[in-house]
Amino acid sequence: MPVPSPTHVLTITCPDIVGLVAAVSGFLSGEGVFINESAQYGDPETQTFFMRVVLSVPGDGDGALGARFAEVARRFSMRWTLHDLRRRPRVLICVTKAGHCLNDLLHRWHSGLLPIEVAGVMGNHDSLRHLADWHNVPFHHLPVTAATKAEQERALLDLIRTLDVELVVLARYMQILSPTLCQALSGRCINIHHSFLPGFKGARPYHQAHARGVKLIGATAHYVTTDLDEGPIIEQAVERVDHTHTAEELVTIGRDIETVVLARAVQWHVERRVLINHSKTVVFR
């Protein structure tokens, strides 16, 4: 008998106690659900249990399955989701002027490599409209100044609601989100930025790194929180460099790393591989 194709992902976060795996697997077995893949982790520091199960749910019975699983979830104080893998999450990509991350995400989506539905691109500048147009994706220009920031963020939230967006991706969007917007997008907004040792902030970070003779450059993708660039980290990568690299070559290498790290973070998020563990994440790869 052939193995059925996966249709759903069940994710669970709850206090770590004895019997959790048995309770979940026993319930699924009793429901006639085929388990394609299962991963779990118990954090000894936070005493929290995390689980991701890839399922094949027969027919269209996920609604009834979820209703019955709710009884199990209540017994163990679980926070849980049952996601249909056949439904692609709607994503809004926010940009400023740098187009490398946007171009990469749109290419992966257009090629069927990234399981998302790009609902639109929002830019606080109009310079990347051509990339959205080329991929036949709506571009929304929402310019912002210090005086209009609150108004622009309200318009952005309205756009997110109107487009029924589930995930916001800051693809080198060079604006600091207000605490109000960060809270509204908690757990569903991913940012990408460079990572250096030591760290360089402000304008032209790669040139600052070159001036200091760094040996490693890299990128970090994380969830956005009210603490600037300090949200739970999803993915990181580094590349070794040396004295022969120019500042412009560091920029090129850094942009390549940023595109890969951001794409991984988005893919793992929409595949429900990332579970937030206080200030950290658990990533089931």
Side-chain angles (χ1 to χ4, degrees), residues 209-210 212-216 240-247 249-250:
H210 180 263
R212 289 287 299 276
V214 299
K215 302 300 185 261
L216 288 173
R240 181 165 290 280
V241 295
D242 61 30
H243 60 279
T244 65
H245 289 95
T246 66
E249 287 172 332
L250 295 191

Side-chain angles (χ1 to χ4, degrees), residues 153-226:
E153 287 196 345
R154 284 194 295 270
L156 175 55
L157 273 176
D158 287 342
L159 180 64
I160 291 169
R161 296 188 191 102
T162 300
L163 297 178
D164 193 24
V165 166
E166 299 172 60
L167 175 67
V168 175
V169 179
L170 307 184
R172 300 301 291 163
Y173 180 63
M174 305 306 289
Q175 291 289 317
I176 298 174
L177 305 189
S178 69
T180 300
L181 189 55
C182 288
Q183 291 167 4
L185 299 177
S186 178
R188 59 189 189 108
C189 183
I190 296 175
N191 186 34
I192 183 73
H193 63 80
H194 60 81
S195 312
F196 292 119
L197 187 63
F200 299 103
K201 297 182 179 181
R204 296 163 64 86
Y206 290 102
H207 291 77
Q208 296 178 54
H210 180 263
R212 289 287 299 276
V214 299
K215 302 300 185 261
L216 288 173
I217 62 174
T220 295
H222 64 92
Y223 288 113
V224 172
T225 65
T226 53

Side-chain angles (χ1 to χ4, degrees), residues 1-10 24-25 28-29 32-40 51-58 65 82-83 85 273:
M1 181 178 178
V3 174
S5 299
T7 60
H8 292 75
V9 174
L10 173 66
V24 173
S25 58
L28 295 174
S29 175
V33 173
F34 189 89
I35 298 177
N36 298 79
E37 178 185 341
S38 180
Q40 57 272 335
M51 190 172 191
R52 177 182 184 268
V53 190
V54 182
L55 312 169
S56 176
V57 179
L65 180 70
L82 181 62
H83 173 70
L85 288 171
R273 296 182 181 276

Side-chain angles (χ1 to χ4, degrees), residues 104-126:
D104 181 75
L105 290 173
L106 290 177
H107 170 72
R108 291 173 189 264
W109 163 68
H110 197 86
S111 303
L113 302 175
L114 195 57
I116 62 174
E117 184 63 42
V118 179
V121 175
M122 188 284 288
N124 63 312
H125 291 271
D126 204 39

